[in-house]
Amino acid sequence: QETWLQLSAFVDASKLERVFDTYASHVWSLDHGWCFCGQCALIGFGRCCDVNNCRYDLSGDMLTRSYGPLSPRVQARQEFSWIPQDEFIPPVNSSWSHARMAK
């Protein structure tokens, strides 16, 4: 609720939507997947602390509000693409000296 109050200082309040009827805690809410809603709060680590199936499509809701009606969903690719990011990491002696990238 405090987030809504903070955002309303920068965005027309009529454009903001509050969805607080899930048990999500610091995760991205999805409407699919095997990590149940609130699982991170119970376990405290792991994959389920990134996304939870709270039967709420946060991405779809946000994109619809930004762009209007969306095309129907399609099957996602089953493989990931590795995109090297080494060239974008600042030198060690820069002010970003704590930037890290896992290999």
Side-chain angles (χ1 to χ4, degrees):
Q1 294 175 356
E2 291 175 4
T3 302
W4 182 88
L5 184 60
Q6 290 172 353
L7 288 173
S8 65
F10 304 100
V11 178
D12 180 4
S14 69
K15 303 288 185 191
L16 297 174
E17 180 73 24
R18 294 181 272 193
V19 180
F20 295 121
D21 59 348
T22 74
Y23 290 104
S25 58
H26 300 281
V27 297
W28 200 260
S29 294
L30 303 173
D31 60 354
H32 61 281
W34 56 269
C35 295
F36 65 84
C37 195
Q39 188 167 345
C40 181
L42 294 174
I43 297 172
F45 63 91
R47 180 179 182 185
C48 292
C49 286
D50 294 326
V51 296
N52 280 184
N53 180 357
C54 294
R55 296 187 312 249
Y56 170 59
D57 180 13
L58 176 59
S59 298
D61 189 14
M62 183 176 63
L63 289 168
T64 298
R65 290 175 189 285
S66 298
Y67 299 109
L70 303 174
S71 298
R73 289 182 180 180
V74 297
Q75 178 70 31
R77 289 184 2 187
Q78 296 302 307
E79 69 278 346
F80 293 108
S81 298
W82 178 256
I83 301 172
Q85 300 292 307
D86 294 356
E87 67 183 279
F88 303 107
I89 297 177
V92 174
N93 61 354
S94 76
S95 62
W96 289 70
S97 61
H98 296 296
R100 302 286 187 262
M101 181 177 148
K103 293 244 178 205

